Amino acid sequence: MATLFFSLWVKRGTVTLNNQNIPFWGLATLATGPRLPGPTIKAKVNDNIRIRLSNSFLNIKQIGEPVGLMFPGIEGVMVEEWPAGNSRPVQPQYINGELVAFTDYVDRGSIFLPKGLIYKFQAKKPGIYLYESGVKSEKQIQMGVYGIIVIKPVGYNMPGHSNYKTAYGAGTNSNYDVEKVLVMGEIDTTMHENVVPEKNYNMLDFKPNNWILNGRVYPHTIDSDNNSSQPYGSRINCRVNDRVLLRIANAGYEAHTFYFGGLTGRIIAEDSYPLVSADSDLSYEKNGITLAPGQTADVIIIPTARGEYILYDRDYNHIVNEESFPGGMMTSMVAG
């Protein structure tokens, strides 16, 4: 058991999609610019996680409105003021009886005035979880304020341990050779270019024109990881007969059906609940999976022949860049 500390800010930045620079708001560390998705938080079961979210101190790229985080699927989240304050359970926030946020939040402030919140919880069970904005969520999540938490079982990195290289522990049929996190989403360029801090966005005007995996559109989805505002590649490299674990999350506002490139996958967990236990096996095979907004799934795919497999959103209007095919929500699995 360890205590893991993460310091995050919400900052303004730009992403590049289809050769166009688009403004966005994203989570960042002090030393980096904002990222889409935000920094991936990795932990083991029983670790204590501390996430300090600052909205002012040393943040010269503030977004101009309050910020706060929520952690769907993770219970027992506590919060305390930073630099000093008492610990309390996270609660919805009201002003004059009106709901203004799903979570405790940090108001705006000076870049020279320390002001923040520390969210605290214990990693009680393995899985993949979204963390995302709980303030003006209809606007801030679309603008990019979200990331992924991956919690592994104890012993996942210890050769000889029964949980070694498993997503959910021994007996859950979640052992893997290759692991890849894929975060689905979409971006409405017009919204991003016209959003105004402190103003609500009319979601009836929401009309996405970019469909993204890990913050990128194809063919850049298959580029390597880098240090840009879109740091995470989506290409999967494996060998024939490897057990490839895809950890898929839908951070967008639309449902997406993600196809496995002609391969058959076995769904072994949904929303971080494993489907296989000592008493039952509820896992099932699919050629693709549909995830509603906010849902996650873990899929094991075993390629039995060498080759390249294209994985993509089955909504064919989501695999273009503007009018050009191929693009959008696509990536590649290469079995060597």
Side-chain angles (χ1 to χ4, degrees):
M1 181 175 69
T3 297
L4 308 178
F5 195 90
F6 304 88
S7 293
L8 298 177
W9 283 256
V10 178
K11 300 180 181 179
R12 292 176 284 108
T14 59
V15 292
T16 302
L17 300 172
N18 193 25
N19 298 317
Q20 182 179 6
N21 292 327
I22 301 171
F24 86 113
W25 300 345
L27 290 151
T29 66
L30 177 61
T32 67
R35 293 180 169 186
L36 185 70
T40 299
I41 293 173
K42 299 178 180 179
K44 297 193 302 291
V45 169
N46 295 327
D47 284 345
N48 293 309
I49 298 177
R50 305 286 184 266
I51 300 174
R52 185 180 70 199
L53 181 68
S54 304
N55 193 28
S56 52
F57 186 50
L58 301 179
N59 183 2
I60 61 174
K61 294 184 177 181
Q62 297 179 52
I63 64 171
E65 58 184 46
V67 296
L69 293 176
M70 55 184 178
F71 307 88
I74 294 178
E75 298 181 352
V77 179
M78 304 290 287
V79 66
E80 67 181 41
E81 306 286 341
W82 179 79
N86 296 321
S87 184
R88 61 182 186 275
V90 165
Q91 290 289 307
Q93 299 298 303
Y94 294 83
I95 295 179
N96 298 326
E98 180 180 350
L99 179 68
V100 295
F102 292 123
T103 183
D104 294 73
Y105 61 85
V106 190
D107 213 336
R108 294 169 300 168
S110 163
I111 63 171
F112 303 110
L113 178 65
K115 196 172 186 179
L117 288 175
I118 300 176
Y119 299 94
K120 308 186 300 183
F121 54 89
Q122 187 177 43
K124 294 182 178 177
K125 66 185 187 73
I128 175 174
Y129 303 89
L130 282 164
Y131 70 101
E132 57 192 12
S133 171
V135 182
K136 298 183 183 299
S137 302
E138 84 289 353
K139 178 172 67 175
Q140 292 194 6
I141 295 174
Q142 164 61 198
M143 289 299 291
V145 185
Y146 63 83
I148 291 292
I149 298 173
V150 178
I151 299 174
K152 297 286 187 67
V154 173
Y156 82 94
N157 57 349
M158 301 168 62
H161 195 286
S162 59
N163 292 340
Y164 180 59
K165 297 197 79 168
T166 66
Y168 289 92
T172 59
N173 195 27
S174 64
N175 52 301
Y176 60 87
D177 299 297
V178 176
E179 177 187 32
K180 177 63 73 174
V181 174
L182 299 174
V183 185
M184 302 188 292
E186 62 279 328
I187 284 181
D188 177 349
T189 301
T190 301
M191 172 186 172
H192 279 239
E193 291 177 338
N194 292 282
V195 74
V196 177
E198 291 287 28
K199 299 291 185 183
N200 293 323
Y201 180 75
N202 185 355
M203 292 308 298
L204 295 179
D205 294 332
F206 182 65
K207 188 177 181 181
N209 61 329
N210 292 284
W211 292 270
I212 55 177
L213 266 182
N214 291 350
R216 303 180 186 178
V217 294
Y218 186 88
H220 300 295
T221 54
I222 62 175
D223 293 342
S224 302
D225 292 359
N226 57 42
N227 293 318
S228 73
S229 59
Q230 299 152 277
Y232 304 116
S234 301
R235 178 175 170 136
I236 302 125
N237 294 309
C238 61
R239 297 171 299 182
V240 171
N241 294 323
D242 272 353
R243 290 175 62 89
V244 178
L245 171 66
L246 300 185
R247 320 203 74 174
I248 309 172
N250 184 358
Y253 293 3
E254 299 181 334
H256 295 285
T257 298
F258 195 66
Y259 263 63
F260 305 142
L263 299 169
T264 298
R266 176 166 289 277
I267 316 302
I268 55 103
E270 295 177 335
D271 288 338
S272 296
Y273 286 92
L275 299 177
V276 179
S277 69
D279 301 321
S280 64
D281 182 354
L282 301 177
S283 65
Y284 55 96
E285 291 186 331
K286 297 275 285 184
N287 298 324
I289 187 168
T290 300
L291 292 183
Q295 288 191 309
T296 67
D298 292 280
V299 185
I300 293 288
I301 296 176
I302 305 174
T304 57
R306 298 180 63 177
E308 181 182 19
Y309 304 89
I310 302 297
L311 286 61
Y312 58 92
D313 187 341
R314 177 57 180 78
D315 290 328
Y316 287 122
N317 59 329
H318 295 174
I319 53 174
V320 296
N321 294 329
E322 299 296 342
E323 299 177 352
S324 176
F325 173 89
M329 193 182 294
M330 299 175 60
T331 190
S332 171
M333 177 188 295
V334 177

